[in-house]
Amino acid sequence: EVRLVESGGGLVRPGGSLRLSCGASGLSFRDAWFNWVRLAPGKGLEWVGRIRRRDEGATTDFLQPLRGRFSISRDDSKNVLYLQLNRLTTADTGLYFCATEHWYSVNNWGQGTLVTVSS
Amino acid sequence: QSALTQPPSASGSPGQSVTISCSGSSSDIGAFDYVCWYQHHPGKAPKLIIYDVNKRPSGVPDRFSGSKSGNTASLAVSGLQAEDEADYYCSSYAGDNSFYVFGTGTKVTVL
């Protein structure tokens, strides 16, 4: 069974930074593509970005407005995925999920970690 | 890329059916047969219940079915059960510039 566990969320002031982690088990981590998706209060899900396999260059794609502020990386030796959030604004407040991707579907999800941006 | 549009709420009595619509555009739902539906009980991990418009992952009951017509996708839930009460989200692949777009979400209540 695939299990994804996010961590690293918390309260941060506007302009601050945060690094989220996602530990994975029950899958071949190095063969997986990973996505981050967020759920803002009172809004729907929003795709944040994704990272390909290391043998594909671990290249990343992002929601266009987030490019340059957010970055995704992976540590295949630890089975951990990361999301670096920089220059945070209140609009970035929400529950952040990591998830695997397989052939155009975001399939296995974690329970999320909450990011609150507030002064 | 705009979010896909879903009705905020839907409801039905146990045993009844409910259908949720998901309206997109010719750049997402209309362009690709990569529509997914997710069930989310708050506090838990979202669960994929439909992929590729109308396919069910292993273990998902056949009470859940998906379809698509033009720029609109739909999720039908028949034989409603108490545990079906949850938030439901659609998503669509939207090409190599926008990647994935999600719906606004529909809260299903079992009366």
Side-chain angles (χ1 to χ4, degrees):
Chain A
E1 179 191 359
V2 176
R3 186 162 184 251
L4 302 170
V5 180
E6 302 90 340
S7 61
L11 175 63
V12 60
R13 297 198 185 281
S17 297
L18 210 55
R19 188 177 81 158
L20 308 182
S21 301
C22 172
S25 59
L27 77 166
S28 177
F29 187 90
R30 68 178 183 180
D31 292 329
W33 288 28
F34 291 96
N35 286 247
W36 286 95
V37 180
R38 67 186 181 181
L39 180 62
K43 296 190 175 182
L45 293 169
E46 181 177 57
W47 183 77
V48 171
R50 72 177 177 189
I51 187 167
R52 295 176 180 79
R53 300 193 314 252
R54 181 148 299 281
D55 63 2
E56 295 174 313
T59 52
T60 55
D61 301 306
F62 286 94
L63 184 69
Q64 196 277 332
L66 303 179
R67 291 175 193 164
R69 280 200 308 124
F70 289 10
S71 63
I72 299 174
S73 60
R74 60 191 295 160
D75 187 337
D76 290 10
S77 68
K78 296 180 179 178
N79 286 8
V80 179
L81 172 75
Y82 300 101
L83 175 66
Q84 178 69 39
L85 312 171
N86 296 327
R87 302 194 302 278
L88 286 162
T89 74
T90 55
D92 296 316
T93 291
L95 191 58
Y96 284 71
F97 301 97
C98 66
T100 58
E101 176 181 344
H102 178 71
W103 200 250
Y104 301 106
S105 75
V106 179
N107 43 16
N108 297 292
W109 298 60
Q111 292 187 331
T113 186
L114 182 64
V115 172
T116 302
V117 184
S118 175
S119 55
Chain B
Q1 187 74 25
S2 300
L4 305 176
T5 302
Q6 298 179 233
S9 62
S11 63
S13 299
Q16 290 187 332
S17 298
V18 66
T19 298
I20 303 167
S21 62
C22 171
S23 178
S25 72
S26 58
S27 298
D28 38 65
I29 293 176
F32 305 97
D33 286 335
Y34 297 130
V35 175
C36 294
W37 288 90
Y38 302 91
Q39 179 189 63
H40 184 216
H41 292 101
K44 295 193 173 183
K47 178 184 178 182
L48 177 69
I49 56 173
I50 296 288
Y51 67 99
D52 292 356
V53 177
N54 56 16
K55 297 177 183 174
R56 285 185 308 276
S58 174
V60 174
D62 59 6
R63 302 186 295 104
F64 294 91
S65 62
S67 62
K68 182 186 100 166
S69 177
N71 299 336
T72 299
S74 298
L75 173 72
V77 186
S78 62
L80 270 173
Q81 300 181 4
E83 58 262 36
D84 297 334
E85 186 162 295
D87 297 320
Y88 290 81
Y89 295 92
C90 60
S91 78
S92 174
Y93 184 67
D96 289 345
N97 285 319
S98 300
F99 305 102
Y100 291 101
V101 60
F102 283 86
T104 50
T106 298
K107 181 175 181 60
V108 169
T109 301
V110 181
L111 302 171

